[in-house]
Amino acid sequence: LARELKLEMSSEVYDCIVIGAGIQGSCTAYQLAKNKQKTLLLEQFVLPHSRGSSHGQTRVIRKTYEEDFYVQMMHESYELWAQLEREAGVELYRRTGLLVMGPENGEGFSRLKATMQRHKIPTVFLEKQEFSQHIPNVNLADGNGALIDTFAGVLYADRALRAVQRLFQSCGGGVIKDGEKVIDIRPGTEVTVTTDSGVYRGRSLVITAGPWANTLLTHTGLQLPLKVVKINVCYWKEKIPGTYSVGQSFPCFIEMEPIEGEYDIYGLPSNEYPGLMKVCYHMGSETEPDERDKQTDRGDIDILVRFVTRCLPGLVPVPAVVESCMYTVTPDHNFVLDSHPTYGNIIIGAGFSGHGFKFGPIIGKLLSQLAMGQVPSYDLSPFRIQRFQSHARSSL
Ligand SMILES: Cc1cc2nc3c(=O)[nH]c(=O)nc-3n(C[C@H](O)[C@H](O)[C@H](O)COP(=O)(O)OP(=O)(O)OC[C@H]3O[C@@H](n4cnc5c(N)ncnc54)[C@H](O)[C@@H]3O)c2cc1C
Ligand SMILES: O=C(O)[C@@H]1CCCCN1
């Protein structure tokens, strides 16, 4: 009886319910509340938590993308991050620059260079002979070229997430309920969302559930071709503390792989843990989000040990600290930002494929526009569900 009473339906109808208080759901909820939408943000875990994709202290922010649409979105995203810094009164971005190393004549590296030039993004192209003068303590592999995106840097991720959630709650109409797992969704002109302790109704629903996207989408008869992988977040000890630190103006870096020009290995200057530099492999092994640590594959760490030994001689080539995070990856590594194919008032933000944090504020704006029935301010065709066609299964 107690349970039935607790699960009694709240009489309130929200303009929008957002499921998942990672960076994407939190930014979306904030945008909605700013637009005077009565908004409920539901999160399964007690906040803050480290079980999804948005925890940890740092993320890379950059415009260094091959695709024009990402570069265009990043122009505005930088502005929106700066606006958030002003609104929250905290520093969220630190400029460090981003060093990209990749096969000099490879297609990926050439396309990247061309995009940077086309968009007039402040970039320094480093010749092999001058490399070590600018970037000491890094060995550039034979055949690799190097460039620096000078406005790239670090976002303080945990701090950003807290700031956005606080701003959301300080808007009239912004409510967070954490420690409430959504267990059912009933589509309709008013969507009914049941958690393990309540029932809520919203005129629209945004699903930003990170690695759990498909679990929730089951209730709506849709499955997306998403792969959840566990990333071993490795920190490496500096032989001489400070060698690769933000204080010494050491940049973030990305090393592109020789064959396809995909991003392969990346690093951030030592900062959050003094004396330790974060260097990770941009791939991992598949995992169940609720059983993340059952995945114990460390093949990525072997690759990193070889890389650190070869390229970063100032680091001890054994990870000192290993943390965990998950990517939710689409087949083309582009995001999903779209309405549900059957229910127009259910909006999906998913598949951020290990590079979505920096877009948080702009994704929040786009998903809120979709939820309010407005025309989104960017062409969302690269992000449509329809592109999967043969993959996306409708079980309706
Ligand atoms: C190691 C690592 C490094 C990265 N580096 C970068 C980088 O340098 N730059 C960059 O831009 N991006 C980076 N990313 C990617 C970026 O962090 C993610 O794209 C982003 O955090 C995804 O956010 P999200 O809100 O979609 O997911 P999440 O943060 O996972 O949020 C989803 C939330 O939904 C909740 N939820 C799920 N199911 C339910 C339910 N049934 N009921 C209630 N709540 C539910 C979850 O608990 C979770 O809190 C990195 C990611 C990782 C893992
Ligand atoms: O989004 C980013 O900028 C980083 C780059 C390398 C891979 C992980 N994500």
Side-chain angles (χ1 to χ4, degrees), residues 89 145 153 177 282 307 363 394:
K177 288 184 188 274
H282 183 50
F307 174 80
I363 283 163
S394 172

Side-chain angles (χ1 to χ4, degrees), residues 161-208:
L161 189 61
R162 273 199 308 275
V164 176
Q165 289 168 356
R166 201 173 55 238
L167 287 167
F168 166 63
Q169 284 173 303
S170 69
C171 289
V175 177
I176 299 183
K177 288 184 188 274
D178 63 349
E180 280 205 38
K181 180 177 175 177
V182 173
I183 51 174
D184 192 29
I185 297 169
R186 290 268 158 81
T189 39
E190 273 178 13
V191 186
T192 307
V193 174
T194 306
T195 71
D196 42 18
S197 50
V199 182
Y200 307 97
R201 285 173 299 159
R203 291 187 191 89
S204 63
L205 174 71
V206 176
I207 301 178
T208 41

Side-chain angles (χ1 to χ4, degrees), residues 51-71:
R51 293 274 309 275
S53 304
S54 300
H55 61 283
Q57 299 192 34
T58 51
R59 292 291 188 279
V60 177
I61 177 167
R62 59 184 162 106
K63 288 187 181 173
T64 343
Y65 272 91
E66 287 171 33
E67 299 88 346
D68 293 319
F69 55 86
Y70 282 129
V71 177

Side-chain angles (χ1 to χ4, degrees), residues 20 22 24 43-44 49 53-54 59-60 182 211 325 352 356-358:
Q24 314 303 7
E43 168 56 49
Q44 63 180 335
H49 73 85
S53 304
S54 300
R59 292 291 188 279
V60 177
V182 173
C325 191
F352 293 99
F357 204 100
K358 65 183 83 57

